[in-house]
């Protein structure tokens, strides 16, 4: 699962891991692979929100049919006897439209297969189509995702636990923080090469997410290296295989980022948060942090480089004139100090980015904090 609009980036990552990508739909990418690939996907995916295992898809127009088919599935591979479970259910355009009743029938089927009384089963019903994808709860209960659409039932088991954007480093936040997965997607959209030497600058860094994600990529630090996943509680969890994959990931870490990575913000609290987050992520030495206005940034002298940033949105500034001036200033500084560089932004409005006077192209569209945004990329003339 991923934020709608990021499917292409997730697909690219999966292919790089050796996965056979089966298809994509808004908010998700399907792929085929073995248990090791499932572990690798959780460990290495930077732009996905959650990895799930699809157990079955079948037609269900009556509760008896739903429970009978659900009882045939190998729940004992994923849920130990007595372990609590949570069910996230969405029903659309189906005869079985009562989410609570659907959840109860699936819960009964799981109990019949693995054992455990009603006290061991917690039932939670999602209210929207993206319920599971938007769930940040990393509780001990195993999440089961049930979707009914046009009388087709899809049953999936969550392998991730907390959403994959929760890398563990971002405890300190500035105003309107950017999710790690979206920052990673913006970096991918920009075309910046984390293995190269071209500098990267974020002049409105907030709590430092873009710079930290860039530094982690440059150092080849797996985003899931220091967190726990739901699959480690499965009865068929292969601890030896997981330990080997983690050890291999640690061995791949580069000692330092080859490219200069600079991040700045005019807000002192933001810089303080960014410094604390970078320290937790283990990349503090790879990022040059400073408190300064956009007009005062000092990019490295280079014929090619990247400005990748998430400017404020109009709803957060409240004064359209100031926001237009901000974009205009960014464009002016880029033309004066970064000729030939690439600029990538998350933009809520093409009228705002036009004030930067950079020929932007839209690479992807998604949402950030409930606001529709576009990833735009342009070359400084």
């Amino acid at each position: 699962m991923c934020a709608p609009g990021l499917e292409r980036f997730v697909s690219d990552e999966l292919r790089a891991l050796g996965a056979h990508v089966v298809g994509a739909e808004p908010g998700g990418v399907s792929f085929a692979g073995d248990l090791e690939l499932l572990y690798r996907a959780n460990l290495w995916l930077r732009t996905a929100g959650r990895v799930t295992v699809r157990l079955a898809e079948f037609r269900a127009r009556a509760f008896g049919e739903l429970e009978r088919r659900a009882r045939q599935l190998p729940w004992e591979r994923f849920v130990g006897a007595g372990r609590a479970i949570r069910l996230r259910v969405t029903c659309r355009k189906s005869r079985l439209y009562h989410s609570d009743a659907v959840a109860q029938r699936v819960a009964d089927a799981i109990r019949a297969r693995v054992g455990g009384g009603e006290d061991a089963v917690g039932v939670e019903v999602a209210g929207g189509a993206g319920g599971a994808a938007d769930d940040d709860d990393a509780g001990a209960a195993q999440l089961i995702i049930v979707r009914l659409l046009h009388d087709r039932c899809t049953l999936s088991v969550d392998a991730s636990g907390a959403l994959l954007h929760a890398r563990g480093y971002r405890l300190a936040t500035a105003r309107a923080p950017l999710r790690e997965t979206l920052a990673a997607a913006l970096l991918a959209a920009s075309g910046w090469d984390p293995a190269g030497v071209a500098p990267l600058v974020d002049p409105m860094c907030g709590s430092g997410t873009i710079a930290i994600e860039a530094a982690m990529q440059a150092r080849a630090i797996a985003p899931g290296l220091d967190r726990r996943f739901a699959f480690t509680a499965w009865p068929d969890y292969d601890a030896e295989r997981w330990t080997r994959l983690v050890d291999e990931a640690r061995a791949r870490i580069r000692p330092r980022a080859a490219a200069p990575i600079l991040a700045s913000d005019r807000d002192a609290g933001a810089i303080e948060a960014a410094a604390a987050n970078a320290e937790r992520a283990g990349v503090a030495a790879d990022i040059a942090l400073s408190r300064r206005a956009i007009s005062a940034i000092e990019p490295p002298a280079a014929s090619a480089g990247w400005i990748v940033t998430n400017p404020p949105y109009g709803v957060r500034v409240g004064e359209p004139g100031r926001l237009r001036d901000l974009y205009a200033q960014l464009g002016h500084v880029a033309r004066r100090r970064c000729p030939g560089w690439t600029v990538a932004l998350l933009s809520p409005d093409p009228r705002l980015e036009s004030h930067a006077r950079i020929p932007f192209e839209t690479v992807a569209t998604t949402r950030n904090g409930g606001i529709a945004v576009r990833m735009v990329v342009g070359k400084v003339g």
Side-chain angles (χ1 to χ4, degrees):
M1 295 180 176
C2 63
L6 305 191
E7 298 84 6
R8 174 167 64 87
F9 307 112
V10 176
S11 295
D12 290 345
E13 287 194 274
L14 285 168
R15 291 190 180 97
L17 290 173
H20 171 58
V21 175
V22 177
E25 58 187 42
V29 177
S30 300
F31 68 99
D34 57 11
L35 186 65
E36 181 162 318
L37 181 59
L38 179 73
Y39 290 1
R40 287 185 185 276
N42 278 283
L43 180 61
W44 284 101
L45 287 178
R46 299 183 188 276
T47 59
R50 189 190 298 283
V51 180
T52 64
V53 176
R54 181 171 296 180
L55 286 188
E57 184 176 350
F58 52 82
R59 191 173 182 84
R61 305 178 73 182
F63 285 114
E65 183 180 20
L66 171 66
E67 187 170 348
R68 177 178 58 82
R69 296 294 297 270
R71 285 188 183 216
Q72 297 171 358
L73 302 178
W75 297 107
E76 63 275 8
R77 289 181 51 199
F78 309 99
V79 182
R83 186 183 178 198
I85 63 172
R86 294 184 298 125
L87 288 109
R88 303 296 305 270
V89 182
T90 55
C91 303
R92 294 180 58 200
K93 301 178 180 178
S94 296
R95 290 195 180 189
L96 302 181
Y97 60 86
H98 196 294
S99 300
D100 291 313
V102 169
Q104 191 59 55
R105 291 303 183 103
V106 175
D108 289 344
I110 295 173
R111 280 201 302 269
R113 186 90 186 196
V114 305
E118 291 190 7
D119 291 342
V121 177
V123 177
E124 177 183 335
V125 180
D134 295 332
D135 181 13
D136 277 313
D137 186 7
Q142 174 63 58
L143 174 64
I144 310 296
I145 302 166
V146 185
R147 287 178 173 166
L148 272 157
L149 178 63
H150 297 295
D151 296 326
R152 296 291 299 178
C153 179
T154 303
L155 294 171
S156 303
V157 179
D158 170 42
S160 300
L163 292 177
L164 296 180
H165 77 84
R167 321 281 205 226
Y169 66 75
R170 202 180 68 180
L171 301 183
T173 60
R175 186 173 57 178
L178 181 67
R179 273 196 173 180
E180 296 87 334
T181 45
L182 189 50
L186 181 59
L187 286 165
S190 77
W192 181 68
D193 180 8
V197 297
L200 183 138
V201 175
D202 182 357
M204 292 173 275
C205 70
S207 56
T209 309
I210 291 174
I212 293 170
E213 289 294 313
M216 290 180 68
Q217 292 184 32
R219 299 264 317 270
I221 299 174
L225 196 58
D226 294 314
R227 53 160 287 173
R228 185 174 177 83
F229 296 97
F231 65 75
T232 61
W234 293 354
D236 69 348
Y237 167 55
D238 189 339
E240 183 177 348
R241 183 179 307 201
W242 174 244
T243 299
R244 174 175 58 80
L245 293 175
V246 169
D247 289 344
E248 289 175 357
R250 293 194 187 281
R252 289 177 57 179
I253 297 176
R254 303 184 185 107
R256 64 186 64 84
I261 300 172
L262 289 74
S264 57
D265 199 287
R266 66 184 305 163
D267 183 80
I271 294 301
E272 183 178 343
N277 291 334
E279 186 68 37
R280 274 186 292 272
V283 295
D286 301 289
I287 304 171
L289 281 166
S290 61
R291 181 191 177 193
R292 62 183 69 201
I294 294 174
S295 59
I297 65 170
E298 298 177 355
S303 58
W306 270 256
I307 295 175
V308 182
T309 193
N310 179 36
Y313 305 156
V315 295
R316 296 172 188 161
V317 174
E319 191 175 331
R322 285 179 52 196
L323 197 57
R324 289 194 298 269
D325 291 345
L326 182 69
Y327 277 79
Q329 186 178 55
L330 175 63
H332 174 72
V333 171
R335 288 189 300 275
R336 188 173 51 151
R337 301 180 188 174
C338 307
W341 282 37
T342 298
V343 178
L345 310 174
L346 278 178
S347 171
D349 188 343
R351 292 172 297 183
L352 286 174
E353 71 217 34
S354 67
H355 292 280
R357 294 170 53 197
I358 294 172
F360 287 115
E361 292 185 4
T362 301
V363 177
T365 59
T366 186
R367 300 187 73 83
N368 181 30
I371 300 170
V373 293
R374 294 169 305 116
M375 296 183 187
V376 297
V377 181
K379 200 83 164 181
V380 180

